[in-house]
Amino acid sequence: MSVPPGDPSRPARGAGNGVPPRPTAPDTAAHDLPPTTPTPAAKTAGRRAAHAFRVGAARTGRVVGRGTLAGARLAGRGSRAGARRARAYTHSAGAGESGLARLVELHFVNLMGDAALTVSLAGTIFAIPTDEARGQVAQFLVLTMAPFALLAPFIGPLLDRFRHGRRWAIGTTLALRAFLCWVLAGAVANDSPWLFPAALGCLVASKAYGVTRASAVPRLLPPGFSLVNANSRNALAGVAGMAVGGGLAGAAARVGPEWSLRLAFVIYVVGTVLAIRLPSRVDSSTGEQDIEDTGPLPVPRRDGRRLGLVQRLQARVAALPVTVLTALCSAIGARLLTGFLTLFMAFLMREHPLPGHSGTFVLALVVGAAGTGNALGTVVGNALRQLRPDLIIAVALIADVLAALAAALFYSLTTLLVLGLVAGLGAQLIKLSSDAVVQRDIDETVRTRVFAWSETVLQIAWVVGGGIGIAIPLIPRLGFGVISALLLLVLAASVRIRMTRHHRPHPTPAPGSM
């Protein structure tokens, strides 16, 4: 019979039964055991493994470093090659000798700064409550834009009276934005009340830059070079500048919005230096005269002095050919639409985003569509140079009206994208075509001042459009319905101008025009 384990009747192992006793485990913890001494072979293997690891790490580091340097060299070569191609393009067809290339490069730098400023303000002005932002933007828009709108008609004639005026005027608009960007950097960091005045001061300076630069372009045209070609180069440089400036500012904004503003400050300082270094031909007004002195309605005078602004404006409008006046009216409609779309969409997407879509995402899509349309307009405008510019202007304005009506009647993401694309495309096509009309139908002695004066009117139209976008309630169909009605009025006015003034004598086209 077996005896169960632990039975006291069972004899113990080794207790006189011939079986050696089983060794018992010592009553000691494992960590109290003395360490095992490695053998010489184990030490040698460990040293070899450590050496192999160090050699492999060093080789890997050298490979990664060489790859990084090679990639940097490749990127640098690609950027240098791209810069060389861009510089060759801007200096081609005599643009380098005439100084037009310098103005194109200046415009590239200017749009870089504007893009950096836009990226910086995207998270500041539009990051506060919508109602408060609309009120402050409307208030400062009136306070800052009203003096500009009143003084704008005098900017061109004032610059023409003073030698070396235009280069310093262009440089002043850039230097002012540099100073305001530095102020904005501190205002953003400290929540200063100077945020809105400084931001809208930058907007005023940007519009003034457009006017002063417009007066400089015709003075730098190479022989046989059209105004449309010059503005196309400026437009392409602007698109590239916005892309580069926006990318750099986006990287700097990750640290903080004040750093992207400091980047804009540096860019504007560079632009100021480039503006002052423009050719002296920018300041020359030799052989030029006022458009109002060439029309059938001479400027009334009393005691050798000109009368008020109203009489001068009447004489100026009377002196413009029907085609130029019609093109200017259509361009005003396009600028109204772009100004309205910029500010109305910015606030609409904050308060009433589309269902199922982020307001910021939709706004970025619409802005991207408008930028794409603007760049596409430059390409299409050059491709359609054989067509009559008057026809291009009419078709583009009708397309703007239809796109705005579609957004009002069928408000959706698709119609908003179509409106942004058509607005950008139409604005660029109308601008290029109206420049072609000015060069074709305005005599060379008055062409520069007509061009600068028309640019002033277009800048004011953008401001008015933006003011309408702020003033009306943020109801999508109401807002787009209002701008559609305004565009229909502009279209009707352009048709009426052509019909009622067709009997006026048409001036002889200037030589070398499109």
Side-chain angles (χ1 to χ4, degrees), residues 167-489:
R167 286 184 293 176
W168 288 102
I170 296 173
T172 300
T173 63
L174 290 156
L176 178 61
R177 277 178 284 174
F179 170 74
L180 292 176
C181 282
W182 191 264
V183 173
L184 275 170
V188 168
N190 303 322
D191 293 329
S192 170
W194 288 101
L195 176 64
F196 282 94
L200 291 168
C202 289
L203 181 61
V204 175
S206 178
K207 298 304 173 187
Y209 164 83
V211 174
T212 51
R213 184 187 62 85
S215 66
V217 173
R219 292 175 169 85
L220 298 177
L221 292 179
F225 208 86
S226 70
L227 198 58
V228 176
N229 290 335
N231 284 324
S232 296
R233 292 194 180 187
N234 275 314
L236 289 174
V239 171
M242 291 183 67
V244 175
L248 293 176
R254 291 182 176 274
V255 183
E258 65 273 14
W259 287 102
S260 54
L261 286 167
R262 292 187 179 107
L263 172 66
F265 164 80
V266 174
I267 295 173
Y268 285 134
V269 168
V270 174
T272 303
V273 176
L274 292 178
I276 298 173
R277 289 174 56 85
L278 286 173
S280 58
R281 291 177 56 189
V282 173
D283 300 321
S284 176
S285 301
T286 305
E288 297 179 5
Q289 56 181 327
D290 292 325
I291 180 65
E292 55 264 33
D293 292 334
T294 64
L297 246 167
V299 180
R301 300 174 184 271
R302 180 186 299 167
D303 299 331
R305 294 181 302 171
R306 298 190 178 193
L307 294 184
L309 177 63
V310 175
Q311 290 85 356
R312 293 195 64 190
L313 290 177
Q314 289 176 348
R316 183 173 293 171
V317 171
L320 289 174
V322 176
T323 52
V324 175
L325 200 58
T326 304
L328 181 60
C329 183
S330 301
I332 288 174
R335 288 295 180 95
L336 281 172
L337 177 60
T338 54
F340 170 85
L341 197 61
T342 300
L343 293 181
F344 184 73
M345 282 295 298
F347 291 111
L348 178 65
M349 287 299 104
R350 281 191 53 82
E351 189 162 321
H352 301 293
L354 287 169
H357 300 283
S358 168
T360 304
F361 176 70
V362 173
L363 181 62
L365 286 180
V366 175
V367 171
T372 303
N374 196 275
L376 189 61
T378 302
V379 178
V380 174
N382 283 328
L384 299 180
R385 283 182 297 176
Q386 302 302 323
L387 295 179
R388 286 177 55 85
D390 314 78
L391 177 62
I392 297 175
I393 291 172
V395 172
L397 182 59
I398 293 173
D400 285 343
V401 173
L402 294 177
L405 282 173
L409 298 176
F410 311 103
Y411 178 68
S412 65
L413 178 60
T414 302
T415 54
L416 287 179
L417 292 179
V418 170
L419 178 59
L421 181 66
V422 172
L425 178 64
Q428 188 64 13
L429 283 176
I430 291 176
K431 180 66 173 66
L432 293 177
S433 300
S434 61
D435 291 345
V437 172
V438 169
Q439 187 165 14
R440 183 192 67 189
D441 296 340
I442 296 294
D443 188 78
E444 187 177 359
T445 59
V446 296
R447 185 184 300 158
T448 297
R449 299 195 183 186
V450 169
F451 188 51
W453 179 73
S454 64
E455 187 65 25
T456 301
V457 173
L458 297 182
Q459 299 291 1
I460 296 175
W462 190 97
V463 173
V464 173
I468 294 172
I470 295 175
I472 63 176
L474 294 177
I475 302 174
R477 287 180 170 82
L478 173 63
F480 293 114
V482 169
I483 195 62
S484 300
L486 288 176
L487 290 177
L488 282 172
L489 289 177

Side-chain angles (χ1 to χ4, degrees), residues 16-38:
N17 54 4
V19 180
R22 181 181 299 169
T24 59
D27 190 14
T28 307
H31 59 271
D32 292 334
L33 295 175
T36 304
T37 303

